[in-house]
Amino acid sequence: MQVLVRDNNVDQALRVLKKKMQREGVFREAKAHAHYEKPSEKRARQHAEAIRRARKQARKKLQREGLLPAPKKAVRPARPTSASSSMSAAR
């Protein structure tokens, strides 16, 4: 895995690396290896994950076909601009 550091901005590069590792499942795998998992527990977990994936895939298919309503988009409040935040900090 490789991340480019632009303009010596290490903080941004770390955020990008963390996001890439999250997407790849590195953190989940490390957490799974932290403690021993019995083979029966592992099978049960994998079975539950497979069921969850299949249900999600079926739900997405029904949404694409118009048989289920699409999920509602979350409305996020507008972010304050940098000018207004610097003015409030000056007060």
Side-chain angles (χ1 to χ4, degrees):
M1 198 172 297
Q2 200 173 28
V3 176
L4 298 175
V5 179
R6 296 181 189 157
D7 301 327
N8 288 333
N9 194 346
V10 178
D11 292 333
Q12 182 188 11
L14 279 173
R15 280 197 305 271
V16 170
L17 176 66
K18 207 170 175 185
K19 192 178 286 188
K20 279 186 177 186
M21 291 174 72
Q22 182 76 34
R23 248 185 267 131
E24 292 289 325
V26 174
F27 294 123
R28 192 176 341 117
E29 190 175 327
K31 187 177 175 184
H33 286 293
H35 301 287
Y36 178 73
E37 186 176 25
K38 289 171 40 178
S40 60
E41 291 173 349
K42 185 177 181 179
R43 272 194 308 271
R45 179 181 50 79
Q46 288 175 341
H47 182 69
E49 288 174 359
I51 289 172
R52 202 173 304 119
R53 279 193 308 272
R55 283 184 181 155
K56 183 176 181 180
Q57 186 178 12
R59 188 173 57 246
K60 293 281 189 183
K61 182 181 177 192
L62 290 174
Q63 286 174 352
R64 280 194 302 271
E65 293 173 356
L67 299 174
L68 276 180
K72 295 179 181 174
K73 302 243 178 182
V75 179
R76 294 191 294 180
R79 293 175 78 185
T81 60
S82 59
S84 64
S85 64
S86 63
M87 288 177 58
S88 63
R91 292 182 189 175

